[in-house]
Amino acid sequence: MRPLQRIAVLLLGALCGPLAAAPDAEVIVKLTRAVLKVSALGDEDNLAIGSAVVIGPDTALTNCHVTQHAHTIVLSRGLERHKVVGQRADISRDLCILRTERVLPYPPADIRPARTLTLGENVLAHGYSGGMEPQFARGIVLDLHAAGGSHVIQTTAGFIRGASGGGLFDRSGRLVGITTFLTATRRPAYFAVPADWAERLRERPELPPAPLPGAALWAQLPVSQPWFMRMLEPLAREDWQALTQFAEEWVAAEPHAPAAHLMCARAAHAVGDASRRNDCVERALHAARNDEIELLRIAAWAKEAGLKAVSVAADHGLSRLRPTPRPE
């Protein structure tokens, strides 16, 4: 058995479990070569460690907060080192494309749009957790939050410091997200920004590595964060009174957002306001009538809450969006 095959078999053993089926050995071997370690050196020898995913012959995708204070960036795998000479940055979305001086001897990952994911789908996080050796964590897609023309992915595939900039992959090894931030609540939640944001990022000017101004979406003041992020802390505390107020503000700010009306319905249901819940559900279903992901979110919550009529309505909307297979 070759060394890489042996590593893959050991990793597969660690990944097997009741929550998600493990990907096959070929996928594992591919991912071990597609994810690199990032060393970002700033002033006064301040060193940040993270991860990056190869997406082209000489390019890799990472979080900007990994490289934000650096003037020297190096990608590595084992003893191999690759100097970064160019960077395209979107600090708000926390996504940076790094270009190396020479072609990388690693296979690039294919990018899969986040909108094609489904709730409960198996995913695999891979990065240099702790800044040391690369590690895998399996999980599922827990939620999908509309943001910037795509969806921020909430997952149960856990990661820690050093895995920032690592990849979130589907079972076929396609890159769906970049592991970015987690909440420090009683029940930690893990989030990956969508890898398909890289498509627009390629249009930005490339500059040599240098400190970047600004703050990532998750590091901004709450008033500047996406609405779904403002809900995370009260949701973790199950503070439904606070969520009721937040949801009403969200609905007022974004009256056409299905997620806003769904949060309104969830909060009203939790505090026993059936009249407001029903009104919010109706508005959520209407706003989500052409959005498969939002209809799936409504259906999942309705089933959990025991609201059969709402679940049926959401499923009906989904069946309308999904074409019926034609007999051969």
Side-chain angles (χ1 to χ4, degrees):
M1 183 180 292
R2 290 178 296 177
L4 281 177
Q5 290 178 322
R6 191 179 305 115
I7 292 171
V9 171
L10 291 173
L11 287 168
L12 281 170
L15 289 165
C16 292
L19 294 180
D24 62 32
E26 184 178 350
V27 170
I28 292 294
V29 170
K30 178 182 177 181
L31 298 189
T32 61
R33 291 176 55 77
V35 177
L36 308 178
K37 184 176 180 179
V38 179
S39 301
L41 183 65
D43 293 334
E44 299 180 358
D45 293 332
N46 288 326
L47 180 65
I49 301 295
S51 307
V53 184
V54 179
I55 60 168
D58 58 355
T59 54
L61 194 59
T62 189
N63 288 136
C64 291
H65 76 259
V66 174
T67 64
Q68 185 170 9
H69 305 293
H71 50 69
T72 301
I73 306 171
V74 175
L75 305 181
S76 61
R77 180 176 182 269
L79 298 178
E80 298 172 337
R81 300 287 185 271
H82 307 277
K83 183 180 179 180
V84 172
V85 295
Q87 180 173 226
R88 301 177 193 271
D90 187 336
I91 189 67
S92 177
R93 293 184 176 182
D94 205 358
L95 210 58
C96 279
I97 293 178
L98 309 177
R99 183 175 63 84
T100 54
E101 192 171 28
R102 295 184 176 84
V103 172
L104 295 166
Y106 315 114
D110 295 324
I111 293 177
R112 174 184 168 188
R115 67 176 180 275
T116 64
L117 291 168
T118 58
L119 301 182
E121 182 171 346
N122 291 335
V123 287
L124 185 68
H126 183 34
Y128 284 77
S129 289
M132 300 299 288
E133 296 299 321
Q135 297 180 22
F136 287 88
R138 60 187 175 83
I140 63 169
V141 174
L142 195 61
D143 209 345
L144 294 162
H145 304 280
S150 187
H151 293 80
V152 174
I153 305 161
Q154 185 173 348
T155 178
T156 60
F159 51 89
I160 60 175
R161 186 180 181 89
S164 291
L168 188 70
F169 300 90
D170 68 10
R171 286 197 63 202
S172 298
R174 292 174 295 182
L175 179 67
V176 296
I178 296 296
T179 53
T180 302
F181 67 98
L182 64 154
T183 59
T185 57
R186 179 167 54 90
R187 288 177 295 179
Y190 304 92
F191 296 86
V193 297
D196 54 60
W197 272 351
E199 190 173 327
R200 294 296 298 271
L201 183 54
R202 296 179 195 275
E203 300 171 5
R204 297 207 169 200
E206 179 184 282
L207 298 172
L212 302 169
L217 76 169
W218 54 269
Q220 297 173 9
L221 294 173
V223 70
S224 300
Q225 291 177 347
W227 278 98
F228 81 87
M229 289 190 62
R230 303 185 212 182
M231 309 292 163
L232 295 176
E233 187 176 344
L235 270 173
R237 299 196 313 264
E238 297 184 348
D239 185 349
W240 295 106
Q241 294 295 340
L243 284 164
T244 297
Q245 180 180 342
F246 278 133
E248 295 296 345
E249 294 174 3
W250 189 1
V251 166
E254 299 182 0
H256 302 296
H261 295 289
L262 176 57
M263 183 56 70
C264 174
R266 291 177 64 184
H269 180 71
V271 299
D273 188 346
S275 176
R276 183 59 177 152
R277 178 199 67 199
N278 294 341
D279 178 59
C280 291
V281 162
E282 184 177 345
R283 292 174 184 272
L285 287 167
H286 178 74
R289 62 191 181 280
N290 295 318
D291 191 323
E292 185 172 342
I293 287 177
E294 294 299 337
L295 284 171
L296 284 167
R297 296 180 75 242
I298 294 169
W301 169 73
K303 288 170 184 174
E304 181 183 351
L307 301 174
K308 186 174 181 181
V310 178
S311 176
V312 169
D315 286 341
H316 177 74
L318 287 166
S319 64
R320 180 177 56 81
L321 292 179
R322 294 168 173 170
T324 303
R326 295 180 179 179
E328 295 183 0

